[in-house]
Amino acid sequence: MARKLPRKDVVIIGLGWTGSIIANELCDEGLDVVALERGPWRDTATDFNIGYAPDELRYNSRQELMLRPAQTTVTARNNADQTALPMRQYGSFHPGNGVGGAGVHWAGITWRFSPADFRLRSHYTERYGAQSIPEDMTIQDWGLTYEEMEPYYDRFEYLAGVSGKAGNLNGQMQDGGNPFEGARKREYPNPPMMQTFGPTLFAETAAKMGYKPFPIPSSLLSRTYTNPLGVTMGQCTFCGFCTNYGCANYSKASAQTTVLPILMRKPNFELRTLCEVLKVNLDSTGKKATGVTYVDTSGDEFEQPADLVILCAFMLDNVRLMLLSGIGTPYDVRSGKGTVGRNFCYQMANQVVGFFDPAKYNFNSFIGGGATGMAIDELNNDNFDHGPLGFLGGGSTRCAPIGAEPISKRPTPPGSPTWGSGWKKAMRDSYLSNLSVGCEASSYANRGNFLDLDPTYTDRLGRPLMRITFDFPENDVKMSAYVTTKVAEIVRAMGAQTIVENPRTRPWSVVPYQSTHVVGGTAMGADPSTSVVNPYLQSWDVPNVFTVGANVFPQNSGFNPTGTVGALAYRAADAIRSRYLKSPGPLVQA
């Protein structure tokens, strides 16, 4: 029997980027807010101290900041005719564990999605005709526009102190920025990052080939910056220990470096760590949430009553909680009916590695950061004519050296010896003279890719594991091959002696790391028959439940998701403050 606790106005599940933003906004509204976090407390000064922050064995090899399979895992398969098996080690993607979530160990690349992304099905239908969209492709519009998102993108960018160069200011194109981006009201809060030799060479070569390169928008700071909440962050030092690491220098934006120093001081906010939410509790009608049930490290269960429940955990956990709590109708792949679990997507992470003459090229591979570098956008989204190509979608192409760590980075060109003195020489010669160019590409929803509860396997608390059914659709495989070939042309023109192309191919495997950009499962939209939440991220079925995260994406763009997730958090918080609290109930009529 769960012990019932005193009521709160709001209970938030998970305290990463979204949970911190929404908690801070609602506390400012005067609400009594409690956040329940499954993992431990994490703070820059104590957890990412400069003395051990650049510890590759601890953070990259042993993945200290990541979720452990013993806590919970998923089962995976490529299609509905297979038996899903548990992931015994997180490989393909790395969910975060603890306060800050995956926003602690992220790279910091901070895009806005394009205007066409938010009305994707309408866009392709208008440009190429309905027949251009494969029958099994279930892409859909988001139920809002880029113009509605723009002010919330702006708020997140100024919170994080994003470093970049605008390409479109109020409809006026700007030299040096992304010419394909949607119009923005003002410049980035900070100028672009400085560029090392590799990205500079990439940009110069791409420009000669007719592309328009621009600096990657980065939540690594190019200078000291104080955000609108009054939190000051420092300039990035290009230490090379960034992706998979916390930032000891307070230079990478995260909940820890932007929001928590303010939020944790508020008397109407409470955080409980090491508390795992089991389910959202519903009343007898099933149409109203009464709070949540959670368990702490003692193993005892607690019931936390609340007027408003907001799911801000990792996207897979948000979907799983909806399913475990009976909120919405689970998706059935056979009939195509139901919405919870539908439109699960990944990201097509493609890469070309160039090996250059070590006598002429020194890229100083150990210098870098998760979001430093130069990019082009001509191969992204619908920025090129797809009519004769037989596929839709594309990706952002960039040269972004993150830092070649001493344990894991052992580059050797094809044909090199695999052991002994020959291998050592090849690795030594290649370490400073290899460079990769990646294309983070779209992942479009497919009828056969979905999430549901596993009928066989359970977690340590006896709850069904999340089951992932996913494989790369034919459309995305064709797109991956095309963009990778185009990227290889640039790397070859840069002067590489040897090129290794790594397009994404089937079948999807859970073993190698590819991207933590998993999305979908509780898609947002204006139509309840194809979406789980409305355009304000409010459940169609239980109006006092909101869910915020990449799980609301109807499909994935050719951009990293965090900027859009942060903007959606601000938009949902604004809707709660300005509309829901005045008149609790549905913000949009079904």
Side-chain angles (χ1 to χ4, degrees):
M1 186 70 179
R3 174 187 167 193
K4 193 168 184 176
L5 301 172
R7 185 194 67 83
K8 296 281 188 177
D9 293 325
V10 184
V11 60
I12 292 177
I13 304 169
L15 197 67
W17 266 125
T18 60
S20 298
I21 288 171
I22 290 181
N24 193 61
E25 292 291 297
L26 298 187
C27 282
D28 282 350
E29 197 64 27
L31 299 181
D32 193 9
V33 180
V34 61
L36 302 174
E37 167 59 49
R38 173 174 58 194
W41 169 254
R42 296 194 191 280
D43 181 68
T44 299
T46 54
D47 291 277
F48 316 126
N49 184 278
I50 191 64
Y52 52 78
D55 186 336
E56 184 183 359
L57 183 64
R58 180 176 186 173
Y59 293 112
N60 190 57
S61 302
R62 295 176 178 168
Q63 300 181 1
E64 182 167 307
L65 299 180
M66 317 305 180
L67 185 67
R68 301 299 182 186
Q71 294 171 279
T72 191
T73 185
V74 299
T75 65
R77 59 183 181 175
N78 291 128
N79 61 69
D81 294 326
Q82 295 177 344
T83 299
L85 297 175
M87 289 179 68
R88 303 293 183 181
Q89 179 177 336
Y90 281 107
S92 182
F93 49 86
H94 293 159
N97 182 44
V99 172
V104 172
H105 68 260
W106 72 313
I109 298 174
T110 314
W111 300 103
R112 294 182 176 195
F113 282 10
S114 72
D117 277 320
F118 294 103
R119 51 187 311 274
L120 194 67
R121 192 171 196 92
S122 296
H123 171 84
Y124 281 132
T125 300
E126 291 165 3
R127 183 170 182 183
Y128 303 110
Q131 75 284 350
S132 68
I133 303 174
E135 185 178 355
D136 61 352
M137 185 185 287
T138 56
I139 58 172
Q140 60 194 56
D141 296 353
W142 290 54
L144 48 69
T145 65
Y146 171 84
E147 288 71 24
E148 291 174 290
M149 285 286 288
E150 198 282 334
Y152 302 107
Y153 274 125
D154 181 86
R155 288 195 67 186
F156 182 72
E157 288 166 357
Y158 273 75
L159 174 79
V162 177
S163 306
K165 177 70 183 75
N168 183 343
L169 275 177
N170 296 302
Q172 298 296 313
M173 306 313 294
Q174 307 293 309
D175 291 338
N178 182 0
F180 297 98
E181 73 174 358
R184 59 176 65 239
K185 297 297 184 184
R186 55 178 173 169
E187 258 289 1
Y188 285 98
N190 287 302
M193 302 284 288
M194 293 185 291
Q195 303 300 332
T196 56
F197 174 44
T200 301
L201 177 63
F202 166 80
E204 291 174 349
T205 304
K208 291 177 182 177
M209 298 174 69
Y211 296 103
K212 295 182 178 179
F214 57 91
I216 294 170
S218 170
S219 284
L220 314 183
L221 271 66
S222 61
R223 63 183 179 184
T224 300
Y225 174 73
T226 301
N227 74 12
L229 297 182
V231 181
T232 299
M233 295 173 276
Q235 182 178 357
C236 175
T237 59
F238 297 83
C239 72
F241 296 90
C242 190
T243 303
N244 293 334
Y245 300 84
C247 181
N249 201 46
Y250 293 83
S251 302
K252 179 168 67 173
S254 64
Q256 279 82 353
T257 58
T258 61
V259 185
L260 290 177
I262 303 301
L263 176 62
M264 294 302 296
R265 292 187 174 96
K266 294 186 174 178
N268 54 337
F269 176 73
E270 179 187 358
L271 168 64
R272 300 174 196 157
T273 58
L274 302 175
C275 293
E276 181 158 2
V277 174
L278 303 177
K279 64 177 180 177
V280 177
N281 302 321
L282 305 180
D283 69 5
S284 59
T285 69
K287 298 298 183 181
K288 180 180 179 180
T290 60
V292 301
T293 298
Y294 71 92
V295 61
D296 66 7
T297 54
S298 70
D300 293 336
E301 290 188 12
F302 299 86
E303 180 184 346
Q304 178 59 67
D307 295 334
L308 191 59
V309 177
I310 306 178
L311 280 61
C312 293
F314 186 65
M315 60 83 45
L316 291 173
D317 295 301
N318 285 342
V319 179
R320 186 180 179 217
L321 278 170
M322 297 281 268
L323 290 167
L324 290 171
S325 306
I327 301 174
T329 304
Y331 175 68
D332 176 55
V333 68
R334 306 297 179 185
S335 67
K337 304 295 184 182
T339 55
V340 184
R342 180 178 177 271
N343 279 32
F344 173 74
C345 300
Y346 199 15
Q347 193 141 56
M348 303 294 284
N350 315 286
Q351 185 185 54
V352 175
V353 181
F355 293 88
F356 295 73
D357 182 352
K360 299 179 180 179
Y361 293 86
N362 180 352
F363 296 112
N364 283 326
S365 306
F366 54 89
I367 299 174
T372 86
M374 297 293 289
I376 60 172
D377 223 21
E378 279 84 353
L379 302 177
N380 200 2
N381 298 317
D382 196 30
N383 298 340
F384 57 100
D385 184 8
H386 288 78
L389 299 177
F391 66 83
L392 301 173
S396 57
T397 302
R398 63 265 191 147
C399 180
I402 65 172
E405 302 144 301
I407 297 176
S408 59
K409 300 302 187 291
R410 293 287 183 265
T412 55
S416 300
T418 57
W419 65 284
S421 59
W423 171 78
K424 292 178 181 179
K425 181 179 186 304
M427 186 272 295
R428 183 174 61 249
D429 291 344
S430 299
Y431 180 81
L432 296 176
S433 59
N434 85 97
L435 190 70
S436 67
V437 178
C439 184
E440 197 88 62
S442 55
S443 176
Y444 283 168
N446 184 275
R447 175 173 175 153
N449 292 334
F450 64 99
L451 303 171
D452 66 353
L453 297 177
D454 194 280
T456 304
Y457 295 97
T458 60
D459 66 10
R460 73 191 194 285
L461 301 170
R463 301 174 300 165
L465 294 180
M466 174 65 75
R467 178 169 62 178
I468 298 175
T469 302
F470 180 82
D471 207 353
F472 299 117
E474 181 181 1
N475 174 86
D476 293 5
V477 172
K478 289 180 179 179
M479 178 271 295
S480 177
Y482 177 85
V483 297
T484 303
T485 298
K486 292 293 186 181
V487 173
E489 292 174 0
I490 301 174
V491 177
R492 189 173 291 108
M494 290 169 65
Q497 293 179 319
T498 303
I499 291 176
V500 179
E501 298 182 31
N502 295 303
R504 193 60 66 212
T505 59
R506 289 183 290 196
W508 169 60
S509 168
V510 302
V511 178
Y513 180 74
Q514 293 153 69
S515 164
T516 306
H517 305 158
V518 282
V519 308
T522 61
M524 63 185 294
D527 181 356
S529 70
T530 57
S531 59
V532 177
V533 296
N534 66 28
Y536 299 103
L537 311 191
Q538 178 188 41
S539 167
W540 288 110
D541 297 273
V542 185
N544 66 332
V545 170
F546 289 72
T547 178
V548 189
N551 48 290
V552 304
F553 291 15
Q555 56 272 327
N556 210 358
S557 172
F559 290 123
N560 302 52
T562 305
T564 299
V565 169
L568 286 171
Y570 269 118
R571 188 170 189 272
D574 185 47
I576 293 170
R577 294 181 70 174
S578 64
R579 299 183 59 189
Y580 180 85
L581 293 178
K582 294 177 181 178
S583 180
L587 298 178
V588 178
Q589 294 301 316

